[in-house]
């Protein structure tokens, strides 16, 4: 059965929750629609995070990113939405998402948003 877009990010237990390590995923085929023109906007998304108790299952990430293909979002908005959903699902120590959007009208846009778990005293 073919895959479908989904807003659900599935997480699984981190096999090394006591180790601080970095994961970086590059998603070179991200698309969303310009909310002003309806034209497609293309980007490479880079997701960099330090897992804590969970890691994000990659097929669900692919389906999640696919869910933006037919939605209208400004670059700043969609990058922040993805970070917020990612942090909500995975609850990482650290996460940074960079949306490197292709040139449109002579302007390329790069948006970077960061989350850092607050230290608890």
């Amino acid at each position: 059965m073919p895959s479908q877009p989904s807003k659900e990010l599935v997480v699984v237990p981190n096999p090394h929750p006591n180790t601080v390590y970095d994961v970086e995923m590059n998603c070179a085929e991200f698309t969303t629609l310009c909310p002003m023109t309806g034209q497609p906007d293309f980007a490479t998304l880079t997701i960099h995070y330090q897992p804590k108790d969970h890691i994000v299952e990659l097929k669900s990430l692919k389906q999640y990113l696919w869910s933006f293909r037919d939605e209208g979002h400004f670059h700043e908005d969609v990058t922040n939405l993805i970070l917020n959903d990612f942090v909500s699902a995975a609850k990482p120590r650290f996460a940074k998402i960079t949306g490197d959007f292709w040139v449109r009208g002579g302007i390329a846009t790069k948006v970077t948003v960061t989350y850092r778990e607050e230290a608890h005293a």
Side-chain angles (χ1 to χ4, degrees), residues 2-50:
S3 297
Q4 295 295 318
S6 172
K7 287 294 185 185
E8 181 183 12
L9 281 169
V10 175
V11 296
V12 297
N14 180 359
H16 303 281
N18 296 321
T19 303
V20 177
Y21 63 97
D22 294 291
V23 177
E24 185 172 294
M25 298 168 286
N26 292 301
C27 312
E29 298 177 347
F30 180 78
T31 59
T32 191
L33 300 177
C34 172
M36 301 296 285
T37 66
Q39 295 295 307
D41 283 329
F42 301 92
T44 297
L45 289 183
T46 301
I47 300 170
H48 172 202
Y49 79 111
Q50 291 177 341

Side-chain angles (χ1 to χ4, degrees), residues 24-93:
E24 185 172 294
M25 298 168 286
N26 292 301
C27 312
E29 298 177 347
F30 180 78
T31 59
T32 191
L33 300 177
C34 172
M36 301 296 285
T37 66
Q39 295 295 307
D41 283 329
F42 301 92
T44 297
L45 289 183
T46 301
I47 300 170
H48 172 202
Y49 79 111
Q50 291 177 341
K52 190 173 178 182
D53 295 327
H54 299 95
I55 56 175
V56 173
E57 191 276 323
L58 294 180
K59 182 174 181 182
S60 77
L61 177 63
K62 177 176 117 175
Q63 292 170 320
Y64 170 78
L65 294 175
W66 180 9
S67 75
F68 289 96
R69 182 169 290 171
D70 295 323
E71 295 180 2
H73 294 281
F74 291 108
H75 301 162
E76 299 85 350
D77 178 43
V78 74
T79 308
N80 275 277
L81 287 172
I82 292 168
L83 177 72
N84 293 342
D85 289 347
F86 192 92
V87 167
S88 180
K91 297 174 179 49
R93 290 177 170 93

